Amino acid sequence: MISVVSGVVIAIGLCYFLLAMVLGMRYARVQRREHERTRRAGVVPHAPRMELYFLVPCLNEERVIGDTVRTLLREAPGSRVVVIDDGSDDDTVGQARAAGGGQMLLVRRILPDARKGKGAALNHAYRHVMADVRKRGLDPEKVLVCVMDADGRVSAGAIPHVLRLFSDSTVGGAQLAVRIRNRDSFITRMQDVEFWSVAAIAQYGRSYTRSVSLGGNAQFTRLSALIDLGRDPWSSSLTEDLDLALCLMAKGWALVTTPHAWVEQEAVDTWRRLIRQRTRWYQGHMMCINRLPAVWRSTKLSHIAALEASLYVLMPWVTVLPWSLIFHYTLLQTVFVWSYVGTDQFLGSTGLSRVLFVLVWYLLSFLPHIVAGYAYSRRSSGTSRFKAVLYGHALVASGYVTIAAAWSALAKIIEGYSGWAKTTRSAVQAPARSEAA
């Protein structure tokens, strides 16, 4: 029975991962070639004229908010930057005002109404945006709302690439890939490998089903798509971004991405805070199964998109939790076989049988790490393939963070705990990098 369950879990996890990575690398390659072809031909792809509102929730972000506001105004001149002060008790407001001047709209939430989660803060700002859109007489079809983290920095020239995605009137949202800015330690480098290879390329692969998942940083949505929900867009979910993505998909809106732009952010630099952050993410992700019935009932969504979204949402339940047990069980079995396999059982050679068994176990267990390392080397200039594959294998450490977070999240779900806790930033901010390598 254990062997059957193990086989099913391994098959589901590996097939989904490998298919997403292969499709993602293909999508990125095709997009790069098309971009290069148009560049050589001197053709500038059309970017529709749209009004942008950047929503930046802040709770004690005095170190980073100024640079974020300046970057957004530089990359998107004429846009509105809405800084949402969620009850800060530092100089967040002063730094935002100094950076934004007249182009920055400040929305303040005061305790006890403040600090009730990111979704609540975004919905509060959304009502201000709606009032401003009505006042300016704007067409919601031509308005984009972008959610940014307080430490987010969009890449140079990112906005035109994003706008081109919305030339298609069926596109309701777009998400940029994440690059870690302070990738100068083991723990932050591992997060960069996760985001810049595995997560980013999987998102590119999901472009084929137009079911890209929205994230909390550089999340672009068409205002008319948000209005189409008929309520406040963001829920009280601990992953309000994924929840929003599923709701938009159920309404028939396409969700896409682009390999030509990205967003940089800081990574958590201690294991304790990383587990705390990932526990919140996993708890919210796991609870999003409540949205799947609406996804499957939708008559505006293709079956392949609904299937892909379901596989993504179910990964913690179907793969991560079972695999955390199966991996260690098979590890013990490997040690047992290494010690006790007889000479006549496999090809008549104890040494060869042991090597073959361990090789199969290694490939099944570490193939995702090898692929992740290879993909990272392709996307990170200056990182050798050998070094990148070593980084991929080092994701084993991140895997244990994932395991701890998933089980902790399950415990919180069973307990009925749903509190939203912000992950504090490191004391020293890493300098911004101007390129993606």
Side-chain angles (χ1 to χ4, degrees):
M1 182 63 179
I2 293 178
S3 298
V4 173
V5 173
S6 300
V8 171
V9 170
I10 291 172
I12 292 175
L14 275 181
C15 288
Y16 180 74
F17 172 81
L18 292 175
L19 182 60
M21 295 296 284
V22 169
L23 290 177
M25 286 188 279
R26 179 181 184 275
Y27 180 82
R29 184 171 61 252
V30 170
Q31 291 294 309
R32 283 196 302 269
R33 287 176 178 173
E34 178 64 18
H35 179 71
E36 183 64 20
R37 184 186 66 80
T38 56
R39 186 188 67 81
R40 289 178 178 176
V43 177
V44 179
H46 172 68
R49 169 68 179 172
M50 303 189 78
E51 298 291 334
L52 272 78
Y53 287 84
F54 291 98
L55 307 187
V56 190
C58 295
L59 175 57
N60 295 333
E61 300 285 10
E62 63 178 1
R63 285 195 316 101
V64 295
I65 187 58
D67 285 341
T68 296
V69 171
R70 281 186 287 270
T71 299
L72 292 176
L73 293 177
R74 182 181 67 246
E75 293 297 327
S79 63
R80 296 279 206 277
V81 178
V82 184
V83 173
I84 313 155
D85 175 45
D86 202 27
S88 299
D89 49 25
D90 66 355
D91 192 34
T92 293
V93 171
Q95 293 297 320
R97 281 177 170 158
Q103 289 183 268
M104 191 275 295
L105 174 63
L106 178 65
V107 175
R108 306 197 70 171
R109 288 167 56 79
I110 309 298
L111 291 170
D113 295 326
R115 303 189 182 188
K116 292 186 176 181
K118 188 174 181 179
L122 290 172
N123 287 329
H124 186 76
Y126 170 73
R127 291 187 281 273
H128 284 265
V129 169
M130 286 296 295
D132 194 60
V133 166
R134 286 191 293 266
K135 180 181 177 181
R136 298 171 65 190
L138 301 177
D139 179 1
E141 288 281 339
K142 301 297 183 182
V143 175
L144 288 186
V145 177
C146 175
V147 176
M148 295 289 300
D149 280 349
D151 65 335
R153 310 281 192 278
V154 293
S155 58
I159 302 304
H161 291 294
V162 172
L163 293 179
R164 290 179 192 119
L165 297 174
F166 288 89
S167 296
D168 182 347
S169 62
T170 66
V171 171
Q175 177 62 47
L176 296 187
V178 172
R179 190 85 217 252
I180 295 302
R181 186 163 57 247
N182 57 329
R183 50 185 185 273
D184 49 5
S185 67
F186 176 77
I187 185 173
T188 56
R189 176 66 70 170
M190 290 306 96
Q191 292 170 76
D192 191 49
V193 175
E194 287 181 291
F195 282 116
W196 194 236
S197 65
V198 179
I201 294 176
Q203 287 277 69
Y204 300 154
R206 301 175 79 190
S207 294
Y208 287 104
T209 54
R210 294 158 69 87
S211 57
V212 170
S213 180
L214 299 179
N217 197 9
Q219 169 201 124
F220 293 81
T221 49
R222 194 187 296 269
L223 182 58
S224 57
L226 299 180
I227 294 173
D228 190 34
L229 297 176
R231 55 167 174 79
D232 283 342
W234 293 276
S235 70
S236 59
S237 169
L238 296 178
T239 48
E240 79 296 325
D241 40 21
L242 175 57
D243 188 89
L244 174 62
L246 295 170
C247 291
L248 290 174
M249 288 177 60
K251 286 288 187 177
W253 291 99
L255 304 179
V256 297
T257 187
T258 174
H260 304 309
W262 63 90
V263 61
E264 290 191 347
Q265 67 185 44
E266 289 184 11
V268 176
D269 60 1
T270 69
W271 295 108
R272 171 176 288 188
R273 285 191 290 142
L274 182 59
I275 292 175
R276 182 183 181 186
Q277 179 194 67
R278 297 301 171 87
T279 297
R280 173 165 56 83
W281 289 1
Y282 264 91
Q283 185 179 352
H285 189 129
M286 292 163 74
M287 291 306 295
C288 277
I289 58 173
N290 296 330
R291 295 295 185 187
L292 292 185
V295 167
W296 281 101
R297 285 196 303 267
S298 175
T299 60
K300 302 177 180 179
L301 190 64
S302 69
H303 289 160
I304 188 65
L307 176 61
E308 193 286 321
S310 299
L311 286 173
Y312 179 71
V313 171
L314 290 172
M315 276 296 113
W317 297 101
V318 176
T319 301
V320 177
L321 291 173
W323 176 248
S324 68
L325 302 175
I326 291 169
F327 175 80
H328 294 93
Y329 172 79
T330 56
L331 180 60
L332 290 175
Q333 289 291 97
T334 301
V335 173
F336 177 81
V337 170
W338 183 271
S339 303
Y340 296 106
V341 164
T343 57
D344 298 325
Q345 289 182 317
F346 297 97
L347 304 178
S349 169
T350 301
L352 181 58
S353 65
R354 291 171 177 172
V355 170
L356 289 175
F357 185 90
V358 172
L359 180 61
V360 171
W361 173 82
Y362 167 77
L363 289 175
L364 290 176
S365 300
F366 288 89
L367 182 59
H369 300 78
I370 298 171
V371 173
Y374 171 76
Y376 190 70
S377 70
R378 295 291 300 270
R379 289 174 56 77
S380 301
S381 61
T383 301
S384 68
R385 191 162 298 176
F386 176 74
K387 190 174 183 179
V389 171
L390 290 181
Y391 284 152
H393 281 73
L395 285 177
V396 171
S398 299
Y400 280 100
V401 170
T402 296
I403 291 171
W407 284 104
S408 178
L410 179 62
K412 289 180 181 296
I413 290 172
I414 294 173
E415 293 170 2
Y417 176 81
S418 59
W420 199 98
K422 178 182 181 293
T423 306
T424 56
R425 300 199 185 280
S426 57
V428 179
Q429 180 185 1
R433 305 191 186 203
S434 59
E435 44 79 34

